[in-house]
Amino acid sequence: MIRALIDGALAALLAPSCAVCGALLDRPLDGAACRTCWTRVARFSPPLCARCGDPLPAERTAASVGACCAVCSVDLGVIAAARALGPFEGTLADLIHACKYGRRPSIATGLGRLMRDLHATWPERVEVVVPVPLHPRRERERGFNQAALVAAALGPPVCEALTRRVHTSPQAAASGAARHANVRGAFTTSREGRHVRGRVVALVDDVLTTGATLAAAAAALEAAGPARIVALTAARAELARR
Ligand SMILES: [Zn+2]
Ligand SMILES: [Zn+2]
């Protein structure tokens, strides 16, 4: 009731608009993006590669349930399996851009909620979630770590088991091999790392592209002795077309 009144007052006084499509928000307390944009997020549906999570061609369903796609195009290192909500394009890409570069942390929380709804497609029951950290300098610039906000909305307990000790140059322009060289050794375990020992851990990030960042983070996390490491991301970029 009070929330509805505040929403109404904010909508009338400030006329805030959706960070993605620009439509007026009738419920600004629900976050920076409108309900229509959230319903437009394209999601992967089975059959998925058991390892990288990329969608498999439909004709392979019967023959290869649980199979790996023939050409996993990501190097996941010690990560057992990865899953993403959907492809990094359209509304999902717009939401992630608005979150990171338009500084709309509420969008990261919304992404985490959507990923929680896809629990049935996670590779296994996750006991602890570990966000991929930003370097402290980058986090200060942005004001938040989007991966930490996504992780907090997923459901299982969050453990900030990693720290980023190297301020790497932005990944956006680098090729696959360059990305792997760029982030190798960038992460180390924090004191919180003891909470992942013997557990199934999900590393959480906003986007999976070449796997370089996640693989480097997983390599550091491995030292803390988890039972298994999987990866959950909001989006999958540079998806091979086949
Ligand atoms: Zn919108
Ligand atoms: Zn694959």
Side-chain angles (χ1 to χ4, degrees), residues 18-23 33-37 40:
C18 170
V20 173
C21 73
C34 72
R35 273 173 293 175
T36 307
C37 281
R40 282 193 191 126

